Amino acid sequence: SKTRVYKLAQEIGISSKELMEKLEELDIHVANHMSTLDEEEAELIIELLKDEKVDDLNDKKGELAVEEDDDNIPKIEIGSKISVQNLAQLMDKTPSEVITKLIKLGIMATINQEIDYDVAELVALDFGFKTIKEEVKDETEELIKIEEDKPEDLKPRPPIVTVMGHVDHGKTSLLDAIRHSNVTAKEAGGITQHIGASEVDVDGKKIVFLDTPGHEAFTAMRARGAQVTDIAILVVAADDGIMPQTIEAINHSKAAGVPIIVAINKIDKPDANPDRVKQELAEQGLLVEDWGGDVISVPVSALKKQNIDTLLEMILLVAEMEELKANPDKKAVGTVIEAQLDKGRGPVATVLVQNGTLRVGDAIVAGSVCGKVRAMINDKGKRIKEAGPSIPVEILGLSEVPQPGDQFVVVGSDKIARSISEKRKEKLREEQLKATQKVSLDDLFKQMEQGEIKELNIIVKADVQGSVQAVKQSLEKLSNEEVSVKVIHGGVGAITESDVMLASASNAIIIGFNVRPVAGASSLAETEKVDMRTYRIIYNAIEDIQAAMKGMLDPEF
Ligand code: GDP
């Protein structure tokens, strides 16, 4: 089962030297072309090389290089460091010629010494070559590039649902009612396992509910780049109507492009007024079906467990229209929805498989954490061996605790998982140093010019509803050919942490009128790099944004 480097190279059809370079990238160190490799190492390298995407990328790079060559200056491509010998070779010079140039630059170097890109650039220029900095291609990331699915491989998958709405309107009760509607007599006495999401069976079809209700959790995930929700259930109490958090929930769902089903709750109450709810929904741009719109609404009572089955049917109906599909026949990818350190079991994470099938024994990377799936437990507390698309499972076997919202992927081997995890940790450290800047009025114009921004998303908070409307209208009128201005959320009251997370998730700026941020919102805006500004006069805000769009905003002091 062992093979020699040169033999394997022959098999693959590359030179031993190329193969040794690839091995080096995979952290497999060999002395020379006669060294032996074990089976796992050989497989690893074959997998790396087989990856067509790598080849495609190389081809593309080659094409680009050719195209760029139309002016007469010869170009060479070098990385962040290059040895004297290699640099000489690239320019068809002898190493001693290069060394002589280096000495002229005041640098004493030997033939095998590595010199920095900047130095190499100077030397090359002296020889009449232009240098192009080689993009450092991250082979490990290439290894986990997710292949596109062929249409025929896609199978319907269960919808993943989040329940949202104003506090006390019955989100938790509704989730309980739904879970109860589904517990068979046998299970009823048993423990209800909380893993962060639950599967519900409706006439043989599954629906998956995220256990943490509310738009805060939903948007916090989105701010981390994860979108797991397919359908939002908006709970509105029929005796209370649309409230500020209802509007937030609507806008957070809209910003994410997630369809909404309205559950008009508490219809058992004597003062329930579903029609008023529908009217208020219409005012928010949600036209329900019996008002001529296409938003599905279902009157329910979470307390009395009335009409829960209809709500579930409607969820399946919307899911069908959304044509939710995934390919169960490949390695799993998905999102971490909860994670903690368990005293007895070590790091435990609940993940939602979004594509492919996750199996016990799989090597996995979750965010910057790696591991091997030692065991999987479903929401009923049962140990399972595999989990397909949309299925939430708790997994054991990770090396550390990942972050909710982290993507996970299954990779070919533990070794690959470890190497990706290392690379990502390094990258994370770098990124933390230069936290990604979101849109800000100060550099809006620059971002527009570079074509990075086509839409300026704004969140407006004000002390009175009148101001919210006035500002929304004036701001949206500023839209021009380069950038369209869009108020994705407006509301009365202080700027909250939830506003900041929505801004972060939707790359928006926040504008407040005669309102201040609540404690915590300012520091969150700082860490999330969200541009938040407060004004006393509407005109000043409009003026600022107008100026920013022209690149003429005075810097803030
Ligand atoms: P959440 O804050 O949105 O999660 O709301 P809860 O589920 O905690 O419910 C808030 C209150 O409303 C609780 O006292 C529930 O018992 C009550 N409640 C929830 N659903 C109904 C309902 O359908 N009818 C009635 N009468 N009360 C309800």
Side-chain angles (χ1 to χ4, degrees):
S1 63
K2 282 193 183 287
T3 175
R4 293 199 189 274
V5 169
Y6 78 93
K7 274 243 163 94
L8 182 63
Q10 238 169 18
E11 250 170 63
I12 305 170
I14 60 174
S15 71
S16 302
K17 186 166 167 273
E18 278 173 311
L19 178 57
M20 282 164 67
E21 278 167 12
K22 299 276 177 207
L23 286 167
E24 204 60 35
E25 284 164 21
L26 287 170
D27 265 355
I28 302 170
H29 302 288
V30 292
N32 54 49
H33 65 288
M34 291 301 286
S35 306
T36 55
L37 294 167
D38 63 33
E39 199 174 356
E40 191 191 352
E41 287 168 335
E43 267 171 25
L44 200 64
I45 193 75
I46 287 171
E47 184 160 352
L48 172 70
L49 289 166
K50 267 202 188 141
D51 200 317
E52 282 171 10
K53 294 230 166 80
V54 178
D55 294 337
D56 283 350
L57 263 175
N58 283 333
D59 286 348
K60 244 181 232 148
K61 207 188 266 172
E63 276 165 30
L64 269 181
V66 173
E67 268 173 23
E68 269 203 13
D69 249 327
D70 44 9
D71 56 0
N72 288 325
I73 311 165
K75 297 181 184 66
I76 53 171
E77 197 171 309
I78 50 185
S80 59
K81 278 188 181 301
I82 187 168
S83 74
V84 169
Q85 179 160 34
N86 288 348
L87 179 61
Q89 224 164 39
L90 281 176
M91 298 184 297
D92 224 358
K93 305 281 170 208
T94 64
S96 59
E97 281 177 287
V98 171
I99 291 173
T100 314
K101 284 270 196 267
L102 281 168
I103 293 171
K104 278 193 199 148
L105 290 168
I107 296 164
M108 302 300 285
T110 61
I111 178 163
N112 289 318
Q113 196 165 329
E114 299 245 295
I115 56 173
D116 286 339
Y117 177 87
D118 296 337
V119 177
E121 190 180 14
L122 287 177
V123 174
L125 215 63
D126 229 13
F127 281 115
F129 285 86
K130 214 178 143 192
T131 51
I132 301 166
K133 191 150 188 179
E134 198 176 63
E135 284 278 329
V136 192
K137 191 151 54 71
D138 194 340
E139 300 277 356
T140 52
E141 294 295 323
E142 286 296 326
L143 274 174
I144 57 167
K145 270 269 170 66
I146 294 143
E147 301 152 42
E148 278 198 27
D149 296 305
K150 289 192 219 88
E152 63 266 28
D153 295 335
L154 293 173
K155 310 255 154 57
R157 64 170 177 86
I160 299 164
V161 179
T162 300
V163 175
M164 302 190 205
H166 196 71
V167 63
D168 277 348
H169 278 199
K171 298 180 293 291
T172 314
S173 309
L174 184 65
L175 272 168
D176 283 348
I178 288 169
R179 272 189 296 247
H180 264 101
S181 75
N182 198 244
V183 181
T184 59
K186 202 174 70 199
E187 289 171 334
I191 26 114
T192 35
Q193 181 87 3
H194 171 95
I195 67 165
S198 7
E199 269 174 63
V200 168
D201 212 89
V202 187
D203 302 330
K205 288 186 179 144
K206 282 191 175 126
I207 303 175
V208 175
F209 287 88
L210 295 178
D211 284 343
T212 315
H215 55 270
E216 292 85 358
F218 170 84
T219 296
M221 284 270 210
R222 229 162 55 74
R224 293 191 57 86
Q227 173 137 335
V228 295
T229 301
D230 301 308
I231 298 169
I233 304 296
L234 182 70
V235 180
V236 189
D239 60 339
D240 205 19
I242 303 283
M243 299 299 277
Q245 287 171 346
T246 320
I247 297 174
E248 284 185 18
I250 293 172
N251 292 335
H252 284 234
S253 311
K254 277 188 181 164
V258 170
I260 297 171
I261 296 176
V262 183
I264 302 179
N265 191 29
K266 306 197 187 185
I267 48 159
D268 58 291
K269 282 199 155 185
D271 53 347
N273 189 349
D275 280 332
R276 198 189 73 185
V277 173
K278 288 174 190 173
Q279 154 132 37
E280 287 171 352
L281 285 170
E283 284 161 16
Q284 297 301 323
L286 280 189
L287 221 49
V288 297
E289 282 178 319
D290 37 348
W291 276 59
D294 55 8
V295 176
I296 294 174
S297 73
V298 185
V300 296
S301 167
L303 194 71
K304 299 261 156 75
K305 306 200 171 36
Q306 279 169 11
N307 235 2
I308 303 298
D309 45 352
T310 314
L311 179 64
L312 295 176
E313 273 166 34
M314 290 304 146
I315 294 172
L316 286 176
L317 188 76
V318 172
E320 209 167 290
M321 293 191 299
E322 293 289 308
E323 295 188 37
L324 306 170
K325 285 186 176 155
N327 174 6
D329 298 316
K330 64 176 193 180
K331 288 186 218 147
V333 292
T335 301
V336 175
I337 55 173
E338 275 191 14
Q340 69 270 341
L341 191 64
D342 186 285
K343 267 197 218 112
R345 303 184 295 167
V348 176
T350 297
V351 300
L352 256 173
V353 178
Q354 289 175 289
N355 207 352
T357 296
L358 183 63
R359 293 191 171 84
V360 170
D362 279 348
I364 187 174
V365 189
S368 58
V369 173
C370 62
K372 193 180 188 94
V373 180
R374 226 174 45 222
M376 295 202 289
I377 298 130
N378 72 6
D379 65 326
K380 311 286 186 302
K382 247 177 70 184
R383 278 191 173 235
I384 53 173
K385 290 240 171 307
E386 54 175 48
S390 294
I391 300 305
V393 278
E394 197 175 63
I395 59 170
L396 309 185
L398 291 172
S399 60
E400 291 160 69
V401 180
Q403 298 274 324
D406 275 347
Q407 194 201 43
F408 81 82
V409 287
V410 168
V411 294
S413 75
D414 295 354
K415 206 170 218 159
I416 298 177
R418 269 199 305 278
S419 118
I420 293 169
S421 154
E422 282 308 314
K423 287 252 163 67
R424 287 202 173 160
K425 277 192 189 139
E426 207 174 288
K427 215 162 149 194
L428 214 63
R429 279 191 288 271
E430 277 168 25
E431 272 168 15
Q432 271 160 359
L433 286 178
K434 45 166 196 184
T436 41
Q437 181 66 49
K438 305 242 162 54
V439 61
S440 91
L441 285 190
D442 293 325
D443 58 20
L444 175 68
F445 186 66
K446 209 170 86 206
Q447 289 184 305
M448 278 165 58
E449 272 191 323
Q450 289 165 357
E452 288 169 13
I453 294 271
K454 293 262 176 292
E455 208 165 68
L456 175 60
N457 287 338
I458 299 176
I459 292 169
V460 178
K461 292 305 282 283
D463 52 345
V464 290
Q465 187 60 34
S467 313
V468 177
Q469 285 311 328
V471 174
K472 184 171 152 73
Q473 274 166 15
S474 325
L475 287 181
E476 291 188 340
K477 260 191 226 143
L478 295 178
S479 299
N480 58 27
E481 268 173 23
E482 285 91 54
V483 63
S484 79
V485 182
K486 209 166 128 193
V487 174
I488 58 164
H489 174 60
V492 173
I495 299 165
T496 62
E497 289 172 329
S498 162
D499 293 327
V500 175
M501 290 317 282
L502 177 61
S504 171
S506 309
N507 197 18
I509 61 171
I510 302 176
I511 287 181
F513 291 94
N514 296 317
V515 292
R516 319 216 108 263
V518 298
S522 300
S523 55
L524 187 63
E526 219 162 277
T527 43
E528 292 289 324
K529 302 268 178 234
V530 166
D531 190 354
M532 178 165 78
R533 291 168 191 242
T534 50
Y535 297 89
R536 301 213 154 275
I537 303 160
I538 292 176
Y539 177 73
N540 289 346
I542 294 162
E543 212 178 36
D544 267 9
I545 291 183
Q546 218 162 11
M549 286 167 68
K550 290 188 194 133
M552 284 164 34
L553 183 71
D554 290 330
E556 237 188 347
F557 294 108

